[in-house]
Amino acid sequence: MRSLNSKLVMDFISEQGYDSVEKTYVAYTPLEDYMCIAVAESYDNETEENSARLAVEAVLTAFEKKPSLKRLRDYIQYANEQIILHSTRNELKVSLTVLVSDYTRMRYAYCGNTRIYILYENIFTHISKTQTQYHQMIEEDAQVQPDGAQVHNLTEYLGKEKHVRLFLSKTMELTEGSTILFATSNLWGRLSEIEILDAYEYTKTGREFLEILQELLLSLQEEYDQRMGSFTAAFLYIEKTYKEDIQKKKKRKRLFILLAVVVIVILLLVLVVVSCIRALDRNQMREIQKHDQRGRRYIEYENYVKALEEYEQAVALADRMNYKNWQYLEQKRELAEMVTDTEAMLILHQEAEAAFSGGEYEKAGKLYAQIQKEATYQQFLSLAESAEQKQEEIVARMQILQHISLGDMYDATQDYEEALLHYNRALNELTKIIDLALEGDVQAKIFAIRQKQREAIQAEEEAEQAEKEAKQAEEEAKKEEKAAQKAAAADRAVIKINTLLVNANAALEEGRTARARELYQQALSRYNKFSGSTEDADKLFQDLTALGQAITEAEVKAKEAAKEERASQAAQYAIQAKEAARGGDRKTAQTLYEKALAIYQELNIWDEKTEALYDALDELKNETQPNQDNVQNSEQGEAQNEPQE
């Protein structure tokens, strides 16, 4: 019906030029409600068929199946698929322009360097661009006039890729009395817009216009001796357009608006109900996520008691969630499963800690192995690392206890050398962990064995001396001499040990605790080898014990002083962070808060000051996030307001 009530006049000319086969092609298909015009130009080395014709026919075939102003992209995509499919002997390259009209409006799309001009009353009302180096250079620098050779330097064309990148125009109204000119590159690249207007001004019919354009091209070829290939010029004159029934259109519009209002009201009601349900679910999920975040933070800082409290609350909230509605069902199940698994892991950690404290090392080792596996799976790397360290400590403790047990067994059988060997091995293993009580017990066992050895040696010496008094009177002098030498050696040993003890005490008074510990270890090593009198041994043992306790107390005081200094530094960081936040420097404030929290984590301090730091850091992050969202929304708004080509 539209075609009968409108009049669009179409005409064209095509020349092969010096090409071995025709390189351009134009065709159009008028239907009752739509009309399609396609102009193409090929740039390949194919000599047996015209790939431009293949593209045009593919477009028209796709148009006839589904005519529409909205399917130009599909038409050109189908033509591109056909070009790629026929690229067997040579790679086919085609430039294409397609125009579709419903006899009232029009829309066009192009890929390559074919162009359209819209003329009305001897002026251009619209000129399409091209996907060439020519127009790219013009857009980059309007003052630079590109070389004419750049007209054929395409940036996009059919046959280049599987998915073609094309230009798609907006829908435009057809104006009665206007003319649409379709031109291939050899036409628009050689004739200027002024020459095309001059040719249009002095013609009465579209055929005359096309013939004048042809004569101008041929005259340029003769004048400048330029060999020109194929070209096509197509002419569409809009003599009469289809006039739609305004009243019917208004009725359809009112009906559409009424239906739209009804649909919108229904959708709003549904949306309100759904939004209420979603809001309840979101609030519950948000609360669970808050507890999860806090729990993860406590786990990160190794405060597992607080973390368990947070996850117990999260699991309680998860049990109260509604799993019967379809809103966020998968997310709710995943969230509930996550917090439940984390709570079970923390309970397992609590049991492991109790077993470890109670000396049930085998049970604790199995529990820590399971904790490490679960923590690694749930991405709690600090907890996994802590569990691994606990397992290593358990292995060390079991080895220590095994050596102590063997030492006790050899001690009971009076095999003192083997007993000392195992006790010393236990001391070496104790260097891997910190257990002063156990270390003191082992040292006491070593001292007891040393005492037994000394007593046994002394008794043996007395027995031998009694047996030999009668028979070896002459050797008494030698024995006395040997005893004197032994006593002298013992005295020298006592002097050396006392010297070490004096130096250690002096270093301790000067505050050099590490040097005092080193001298104490040397004195202890010499004492373990001391074989002098019991009185000297007892005196040395008392001095060593007093020195060891003094060094331990000094180390504890040094640690407490360092801890207080670190706590003071954390408080200073918190004050500086607060001042930076007041000054608007949120990044510096966040860094200082994190430093303060790291010190509290190091010192294992979890009180109101720590919670205050967490709250301040969360508040600072919440203030930063909305600003970022506003910036992103602003950028998106600016991008949407940019005019399209």
Side-chain angles (χ1 to χ4, degrees), residues 194-203 208-209 212-213 216:
I194 296 176
E195 290 174 325
I196 295 174
L197 282 176
D198 290 341
Y200 180 72
E201 183 178 2
Y202 298 107
T203 57
E208 291 180 3
F209 177 43
I212 292 176
L213 292 177
L216 286 173

Side-chain angles (χ1 to χ4, degrees), residues 39-51:
V39 179
E41 183 174 3
S42 62
Y43 295 92
D44 47 61
N45 297 324
E46 182 62 48
T47 58
E48 296 186 8
E49 62 177 339
N50 186 0
S51 53

Side-chain angles (χ1 to χ4, degrees), residues 401 403-413 419 422-423 445:
L401 293 177
H403 285 306
I404 293 174
S405 178
L406 290 172
D408 292 342
M409 183 183 69
Y410 283 115
D411 183 21
T413 59
H422 286 286
Y423 285 145
K445 290 177 182 291

Side-chain angles (χ1 to χ4, degrees), residues 89-278:
R89 293 185 301 272
N90 296 300
E91 182 183 359
L92 303 183
K93 301 178 181 179
V94 177
S95 176
L96 176 67
T97 295
V98 179
L99 182 143
V100 175
S101 173
D102 63 354
Y103 300 100
T104 300
R105 297 173 298 275
M106 61 162 279
R107 198 179 188 192
Y108 72 89
Y110 64 81
C111 178
N113 66 347
T114 50
R115 302 181 70 179
I116 68 170
Y117 299 84
I118 302 178
L119 304 94
Y120 182 75
E121 294 183 355
N122 296 330
I123 61 171
F124 289 114
T125 60
H126 183 80
I127 302 175
S128 68
K129 297 182 180 180
T130 61
Q131 294 172 323
T132 61
Q133 198 71 28
Y134 178 85
H135 273 104
Q136 188 173 346
M137 293 174 66
I138 292 176
E139 291 177 354
E140 291 177 355
D141 191 350
Q143 297 180 356
V144 176
Q145 184 63 28
D147 188 1
Q150 300 299 333
V151 169
H152 302 286
N153 191 354
L154 304 182
T155 57
E156 297 293 336
Y157 53 84
L158 300 189
K160 179 182 178 182
E161 296 177 352
K162 184 176 181 181
H163 296 285
V164 64
R165 289 190 287 270
L166 53 85
F167 173 81
L168 187 62
S169 74
K170 297 180 180 179
T171 303
M172 297 181 287
E173 295 289 333
L174 290 179
T175 304
E176 293 182 354
S178 62
T179 301
I180 302 175
L181 174 65
F182 299 82
T184 57
S185 62
N186 279 328
L187 192 152
W188 69 265
R190 295 172 184 269
L191 297 181
S192 66
E193 296 174 1
I194 296 176
E195 290 174 325
I196 295 174
L197 282 176
D198 290 341
Y200 180 72
E201 183 178 2
Y202 298 107
T203 57
K204 296 181 179 180
T205 64
R207 191 66 189 178
E208 291 180 3
F209 177 43
L210 296 176
E211 289 174 352
I212 292 176
L213 292 177
Q214 183 179 22
E215 290 176 2
L216 286 173
L217 287 174
L218 295 176
S219 65
L220 289 175
Q221 177 176 279
E222 294 174 358
E223 181 178 354
Y224 298 105
D225 193 21
Q226 297 177 349
R227 295 173 62 85
M228 185 169 60
S230 303
F231 71 89
T232 290
F235 178 96
L236 179 65
Y237 178 67
I238 315 300
E239 185 173 338
K240 180 183 178 183
T241 61
Y242 175 73
K243 308 298 182 184
E244 295 182 336
D245 189 348
I246 298 177
Q247 293 299 325
K248 187 182 292 185
K249 187 175 181 180
K250 288 183 178 179
K251 290 181 181 179
R252 286 201 304 269
K253 186 175 181 180
R254 286 195 294 268
L255 181 61
F256 175 78
I257 293 173
L258 181 61
L259 291 174
V261 170
V262 173
V263 171
I264 289 172
V265 171
I266 295 173
L267 289 176
L268 285 175
L269 292 175
V270 174
L271 184 61
V272 169
V273 175
V274 172
S275 297
C276 291
I277 297 174
R278 289 171 67 91

Side-chain angles (χ1 to χ4, degrees), residues 336-613:
E337 183 179 354
M338 180 187 66
V339 296
T340 302
D341 292 344
T342 307
E343 182 198 29
M345 180 185 67
L346 291 172
I347 293 174
L348 204 64
H349 182 271
Q350 197 176 53
E351 295 175 358
E353 288 287 308
F356 181 82
S357 300
E360 301 177 18
Y361 296 125
E362 186 175 355
K363 177 181 177 182
K366 293 180 180 179
L367 292 173
Y368 279 120
Q370 189 174 354
I371 290 168
Q372 182 184 3
K373 183 178 178 181
E374 289 293 329
T376 303
Y377 175 75
Q378 297 183 37
Q379 297 297 313
F380 293 109
L381 302 182
S382 61
L383 179 57
E385 184 178 355
S386 176
E388 184 179 4
Q389 293 174 354
K390 281 290 187 181
Q391 291 178 73
E392 294 175 356
E393 184 177 350
I394 287 171
V395 171
R397 283 183 177 274
M398 293 180 71
Q399 290 179 350
I400 292 168
L401 293 177
Q402 184 179 7
H403 285 306
I404 293 174
S405 178
L406 290 172
D408 292 342
M409 183 183 69
Y410 283 115
D411 183 21
T413 59
Q414 296 184 354
D415 191 348
Y416 299 129
E417 294 298 328
E418 286 294 329
L420 285 174
L421 176 64
H422 286 286
Y423 285 145
N424 285 322
R425 287 178 179 175
L427 282 178
N428 291 333
E429 291 294 331
L430 276 167
T431 58
K432 300 178 182 178
I433 62 175
I434 299 175
D435 193 333
L436 297 178
L438 187 58
E439 183 179 356
D441 291 341
V442 175
Q443 288 179 349
K445 290 177 182 291
I446 292 174
F447 175 77
I449 289 177
R450 292 290 187 190
Q451 187 68 23
K452 290 178 182 179
Q453 283 181 328
R454 284 191 292 271
E455 291 175 354
I457 292 171
Q458 187 175 2
E460 184 179 354
E461 288 176 351
E462 290 176 355
E464 289 178 354
Q465 186 176 5
E467 290 178 0
K468 293 179 181 179
E469 280 180 356
K471 297 180 181 180
Q472 299 177 349
E474 69 275 8
E475 294 181 359
E476 289 181 358
K478 295 181 180 178
K479 289 182 179 180
E480 290 176 359
E481 183 179 358
K482 289 182 180 179
Q485 291 177 354
K486 185 176 181 181
D491 291 338
R492 287 194 297 271
V494 170
I495 291 171
K496 290 181 180 179
I497 293 173
N498 284 328
T499 302
L500 291 172
L501 291 175
V502 169
N503 292 335
N505 284 314
L508 186 61
E509 289 176 358
E510 293 173 0
R512 296 182 295 148
T513 309
R515 178 58 180 169
R517 170 65 70 177
E518 181 182 355
L519 294 172
Y520 167 75
Q521 293 294 338
Q522 293 178 12
L524 183 62
S525 177
R526 288 181 177 275
Y527 171 77
N528 290 333
K529 299 176 183 179
F530 180 72
S531 59
S533 66
T534 303
E535 183 180 356
D536 291 337
D538 292 338
K539 180 64 171 60
L540 291 174
F541 177 75
Q542 292 175 1
D543 293 341
L544 282 170
T545 302
L547 178 60
Q549 291 178 351
I551 291 173
T552 302
E553 290 174 358
E555 289 175 344
V556 170
K557 289 180 180 179
K559 289 181 180 178
E560 290 295 328
K563 183 175 180 181
E564 291 177 0
E565 184 178 357
R566 292 288 286 167
S568 175
Q569 186 179 7
Q572 186 175 2
Y573 279 146
I575 294 172
Q576 292 175 354
K578 187 178 293 183
E579 293 299 324
R582 290 177 180 174
D585 191 356
R586 295 187 179 90
K587 184 175 181 181
T588 302
Q590 182 176 351
T591 303
L592 292 170
Y593 277 133
E594 289 174 349
K595 286 184 177 180
L597 286 175
I599 292 174
Y600 284 138
Q601 174 197 359
E602 175 186 343
L603 301 179
N604 196 22
I605 295 175
W606 307 97
D607 53 14
E608 293 83 3
K609 293 184 288 184
T610 310
E611 290 295 329
L613 288 178

